[in-house]
Amino acid sequence: MDEPWSMDDPPGQRELLELTRELAVQELRPNAAAAEHEGRFPRESFRILGRSGLLSLPYPEACGGVGQPYEVYLQVVEELARAWLTVGLGVSVHTLACFPIATAGTAEQQERWLPGLLGGELLGAYCLSEPHSGSDAAALRTRAVRDEDGFVVDGVKAWISHAGQADFYTLFARTSGQPEGRGRAQGISCLHVPADTAGVSAAPAEHKMGMRASVTAQMIFEGARLPADHLVGEEDGGFTLALTALDSGRLGIAACATGLAQAALDAAVSYARERRQFGRPIIEFEGVSFLLADMATGVEAARALYRAAARRKDAGLAFSTQAAMAKLFASDTAMRVTTDAVQVLGGYGYVEDFPAERYLREAKALQIVEGTNQIQRMVIGRALARD
């Protein structure tokens, strides 16, 4: 397999990506198919990545991080997703869950929580969506009511990755206002919720088309009591924090989609080189080679787009629109490339003995999570209208 990084990258970054490739090939890829078939959550894999420093890459060293550019972190996510999407996506979700404390937490909160969050021993989940508020996230109904000791939380969150497996939940709940009307985005706050908090539980896992090893379920909060110092950022100011986190998270999804598309391309090219029909490898037939050429071009374009957006983020420039473009294009590309990979393999692409059918099932989720691709088009279109 070719490396998706450049020889012009600094040596330290190349070594990091080579370490990631080694872990992906040795620890992740051999276990992916069986774990997905059995629906077995790879908790130990995240511990291994954490102990290797791969869960702390995009954070400052002062916070216990490694201090790598976001572009490098995303290349790591791509490499992990190329081996096993559940793990690559899981790293992106964990980073999303850590974002509010790392960027808006107090010095005391960061000192208290970040070492465990970034070290791999603790795994996070991000609780924003609800059964009746998905794309319209500001319409959330989960409430956190203040009392003399802190907050009491009641409500249900939906489509939560790592539900029941996470050690902490980054929760967005309504501390004032109503979920209807133009001002519904006001009055939402962010709270840090340890998994062992009384009144916090996970519903049974959803039975999904793909990524079956990645647990997705509702999270239930019934009279869950949190100390006042578990509020992250300003009270009633959490929705802006949620959207800012999602901008970065969408780049994570773009990197995951690129990694999955690369895996599908790898499988299709390998098969086409070995499969012989009419006396020669099928890759020599124009119908197949042109299909593979289009797949390879799409993967390279997706990679270039998410890396360009990440460079804007690293430079301190606005990147929200570029993140939406990267997520949109990369996930649509993953859907197309995985579909074409099944076509290249023919009947073998349709059976579980080969990974192509799993890649196709997994790709669909990436067009939905962290803002559907229709929402991404709205973000891009509104930016064009403003400009």
Side-chain angles (χ1 to χ4, degrees), residues 140-193:
L140 63 84
R141 297 174 179 273
T142 296
R143 286 201 172 269
V145 178
R146 257 198 185 274
D147 64 11
E148 58 187 15
D149 298 319
F151 297 90
V152 179
V153 181
D154 288 280
V156 178
K157 293 293 180 176
W159 311 113
I160 307 304
S161 297
H162 305 167
Q165 295 287 342
D167 300 290
F168 72 95
Y169 297 90
T170 296
L171 172 70
F172 292 89
R174 187 166 298 283
T175 43
S176 67
Q178 299 299 323
E180 298 89 12
R182 296 185 64 181
R184 62 191 181 282
Q186 306 301 317
I188 294 171
S189 299
C190 179
L191 296 159
H192 176 74
V193 184

